Amino acid sequence: MEQGTLAGPLSTSVANLCRRLQPQVGPRMAAGFAEVLRRLGAPLQVAVAGRIKSGKSTLVNALIGRRVAPTDVGECTRLVTRFQYGTVDRIEVVMRDGNKEVLPFAPDGMIPSTLGIDIGKVSHIEAYLTNAVLQDMTVIDTPGLGSLDAASVRRTENLLGNTGKHRKPDDDDDELDGAELDDVSKHAVAGAEAVLYVVTQSVRADDQQALAAFTAATASRDAGPVNAIAVLNKADTIPAESVQGADGDVWKAASILAERQAATLKPKVADVLPVIGLLAESAETGAFTSADAEGLRQLSELEDDVLETMLLSADVFTSWECDVPASTRMRLLERLDLFGIRAGVQAIRSDPSITAGGLRRTILDASGLEAVRARLNTVFAARADGIKAAAALASIAALAHAAEDPAERNRVRDAIEVLLAKPEAHQLRVLEALTLITSGAVDLPPDLTEEVLRVGSNADVRVQLDMPDADRAALAERALERAGWWRSFASFGATPAQSRVAHVVHRAYFLIWQQLREGK
Ligand SMILES: Nc1nc2c(ncn2[C@@H]2O[C@H](COP(=O)(O)OP(=O)(O)OP(=O)(O)O)[C@@H](O)[C@H]2O)c(=O)[nH]1
Ligand SMILES: [Mg+2]
């Protein structure tokens, strides 16, 4: 069993609760607690979800910094694959009966696109990689929602917790031997904790449904913008001319469409970031090589109108008669597509001395990946403690619900009550308040909204109080002043809904003040 570090004080309290109760409950629930403990110690579980062929696996590769998830074709795109940190690279195929089979990587370092195992018997794939990014985040690649293949949809829905009612144990499931988790419990502890939701140009009605199902099933009941981030992928394929106000600029067009989609997806996600996964993948995984840079250089030497004609379509680009070898062009097309090729050529023309590394950087900048990464860090990392603890508490509550012994059930419920009264549980209230605000369920003036988001989604006191250079005394003074302000707003100025949020903000400031005063 892997021993990880806990995300923060609340996760620690929940872990202590599990350890304390474990000897007092039956073997089945004790096994459930063991699983909850294991998950609490693991990095945040981020599922990359979205419609079929929206570019999920491509983004997964970009985030991990290695081309390891198969894209395009092959049966593995129909399986859930969990990419997690390990000290050696290893692929395990987990069978539905619980058995595991170790699989070698394909010669190109990827997960083989065909397993050589009856896929109907496969539950999912666990890939252990040494990549440092995975120390903070387990990335889960999922088969596309909306794919025609019912089995892969079921796998994804199980992962996202979207099974609606509790599933009956499958006929071919092994007999329970008491210490094993039954299907209900397994499901209760298996859901993803956060989601990176990938959409392309048009959001369809069932995308909304899928997202709603995810949020309903995760962690805290009203989770949403707190643990979901959305990206508008394949921004390069948007015909800029068709978007009003874009002035023919692809990135501008993507931003306009992304904003429009954010309005559609609200309140499920706070906003939608445009991204070009393909460019991100090529830049971050080393797929873009100096040979590709050389190919771009050759292209940049072509006559302007020739190049313009070639860049009209992929067909023309590859079939046109010119000095740049067709195989070079095919490679470039695969790694950069037309938009990336154009961006690369432009970069060379405006700075002929640019190196292959400089071009890689240009491509990365053009991909929009850095903004996605920054968002993942601020949103997920800062809230990991609350998100993980909430998920764990939901699992514990589900385990209690499934318990046959009423005394056992009550013991667990009482312990949860006690825990929720502790100061560190305040985070859960904060997450809830953030959700109320970002979803628009509670309306506040813009400056107050900003203040709530600042206090709620940062871990650094100086950032929370918006006083980057202040000393401890000044910080404490500000915290106390804001605590007082929010308390009187809660009592006098606010509507009942606002008041609920205001009480949480008041307490957040109060706890900050207390912490500053105690010199922690
Ligand atoms: N032009 C362009 N193509 C992209 C982009 N991202 C991915 N693609 C291409 O889209 C195709 C599908 O990408 P995948 O990453 O396999 O998509 P997926 O969502 O994982 O697909 P499934 O797992 O089968 O649902 C591949 O050919 C990618 O190269 C992008 O940003 N721009
Ligand atoms: Mg895929």
Side-chain angles (χ1 to χ4, degrees):
M1 191 153 294
E2 299 188 21
Q3 193 61 48
T5 41
L6 294 163
L10 185 54
S11 298
T12 307
S13 294
V14 178
N16 289 339
L17 178 150
C18 292
R19 287 195 201 100
R20 209 173 49 244
L21 287 178
Q22 237 170 353
Q24 306 175 27
V25 296
R28 185 174 292 196
M29 199 183 295
F33 281 147
E35 179 60 13
V36 171
L37 277 167
R38 194 190 61 74
R39 299 248 326 184
L40 266 173
L44 191 69
Q45 316 277 304
V46 181
V48 180
R51 184 167 292 285
I52 186 165
K53 296 286 170 250
S54 52
K56 300 176 294 295
S57 303
T58 306
L59 268 174
V60 165
N61 290 333
L63 286 171
I64 299 174
R66 174 168 161 185
R67 240 182 95 71
V68 66
T71 54
D72 252 353
V73 284
E75 62 189 14
C76 282
T77 72
R78 289 188 281 128
L79 290 174
V80 170
T81 308
R82 293 164 36 87
F83 295 95
Q84 53 187 306
Y85 183 76
T87 46
V88 283
D89 289 348
R90 183 161 50 101
I91 309 172
E92 273 176 16
V93 182
V94 181
M95 311 302 288
R96 282 157 56 94
D97 64 9
N99 285 330
K100 292 175 183 168
E101 294 199 22
V102 175
L103 206 73
F105 286 85
D108 55 4
M110 296 182 70
I111 294 190
S113 55
T114 322
L115 298 181
I117 298 172
D118 176 3
I119 194 173
K121 298 208 167 108
V122 175
S123 157
H124 66 280
I125 299 176
E126 300 274 358
Y128 297 87
L129 302 173
T130 54
N131 298 56
V133 203
L134 296 174
Q135 282 179 307
D136 300 321
M137 178 171 82
T138 290
V139 181
I140 307 167
D141 192 10
T142 69
L145 292 161
S147 64
L148 296 171
D149 160 12
S152 30
V153 171
R154 180 170 47 73
R155 286 188 199 103
T156 308
E157 287 183 339
N158 284 348
L159 173 95
L160 295 180
N162 180 20
T163 45
K165 308 242 167 44
H166 288 139
R167 210 154 44 91
K168 286 215 182 72
D170 290 317
D171 295 338
D172 54 352
D173 271 1
D174 281 346
E175 283 284 294
L176 294 170
D177 66 14
E180 277 289 325
L181 281 178
D182 62 16
D183 214 42
V184 172
S185 320
K186 229 186 250 168
H187 173 243
V189 293
E193 294 160 336
V195 72
L196 176 65
Y197 201 69
V198 183
V199 295
T200 49
Q201 273 185 66
S202 59
V203 177
R204 296 198 356 199
D206 50 342
D207 270 356
Q208 277 244 49
Q209 275 170 20
L211 202 51
F214 166 79
T215 44
T218 27
S220 60
R221 266 174 304 104
D222 8 32
V226 163
N227 58 359
I229 289 176
V231 296
L232 171 61
N233 194 27
K234 304 197 182 184
D236 60 320
T237 62
I238 294 168
E241 329 72 68
S242 68
V243 179
Q244 218 184 358
D247 306 323
D249 181 275
V250 166
W251 202 254
K252 219 173 185 178
S255 308
I256 292 170
L257 289 184
E259 236 165 76
R260 227 178 269 165
Q261 298 207 339
T264 318
L265 286 171
K266 243 179 185 170
K268 297 305 171 198
V269 294
D271 56 6
V272 180
L273 297 173
V275 71
I276 305 173
L278 183 64
L279 294 188
E281 182 191 49
S282 295
E284 286 298 84
T285 63
F288 178 80
T289 61
S290 45
D292 296 321
E294 189 44 42
L296 285 175
R297 197 173 300 282
Q298 286 176 291
L299 284 172
S300 73
E301 284 155 10
L302 295 175
E303 293 287 333
D304 223 17
D305 48 344
V306 170
L307 191 64
E308 278 309 313
T309 311
M310 286 173 71
L311 288 175
L312 279 178
S313 79
D315 282 349
V316 181
F317 182 74
T318 45
S319 61
W320 193 267
E321 290 288 327
C322 82
D323 290 343
V324 186
S327 60
T328 304
R329 285 180 268 159
M330 285 293 278
R331 254 186 76 103
L332 284 172
L333 195 63
E334 237 171 60
R335 282 164 180 70
L336 305 177
D337 213 338
L338 295 172
F339 178 84
I341 293 171
R342 187 188 290 276
V345 167
Q346 264 162 10
I348 294 170
R349 286 185 173 171
S350 64
D351 174 13
S353 68
I354 192 168
T355 60
L359 275 171
R360 193 196 66 83
R361 184 75 224 176
T362 305
I363 290 162
L364 179 64
D365 288 347
S367 75
L369 182 72
E370 291 297 356
V372 176
R373 243 194 214 132
R375 186 63 54 90
L376 279 170
N377 283 336
T378 52
V379 176
F380 290 166
R383 297 175 187 160
D385 187 28
I387 294 174
K388 289 199 74 77
L393 282 171
S395 299
I396 295 169
L399 287 169
H401 185 76
E404 269 146 30
D405 175 2
E408 193 166 276
R409 187 160 41 207
N410 287 335
R411 197 173 306 140
V412 177
R413 285 186 176 158
D414 289 350
I416 294 177
E417 283 303 310
V418 171
L419 185 138
L420 287 177
K422 292 185 172 178
E424 58 267 28
H426 179 66
Q427 278 188 67
L428 296 175
R429 304 279 105 78
V430 174
L431 286 180
E432 197 180 23
L434 285 174
T435 304
L436 288 173
I437 295 283
T438 48
S439 68
V442 172
D443 218 19
L444 281 177
D447 54 331
L448 294 185
T449 298
E450 201 180 307
E451 186 177 346
V452 178
L453 294 181
R454 191 169 57 232
V455 175
S457 33
N458 289 292
D460 180 343
V461 180
R462 286 192 171 82
V463 182
Q464 286 177 301
L465 295 172
D466 198 18
M467 297 175 85
D469 305 313
D471 62 13
R472 182 182 292 274
L475 289 167
E477 193 183 335
R478 167 76 67 91
L480 198 58
E481 184 264 315
R482 294 317 294 157
W485 189 92
W486 281 93
R487 191 181 45 202
S488 47
F489 179 61
S491 316
F492 305 116
T495 64
Q498 287 176 333
S499 176
R500 195 168 145 205
V501 171
H503 277 297
V504 175
V505 181
H506 152 70
R507 180 137 176 85
Y509 278 120
F510 178 77
L511 290 171
I512 292 173
W513 172 74
Q514 215 170 32
Q515 184 190 332
L516 285 164
R517 210 186 40 157
E518 286 165 9
K520 277 198 250 168

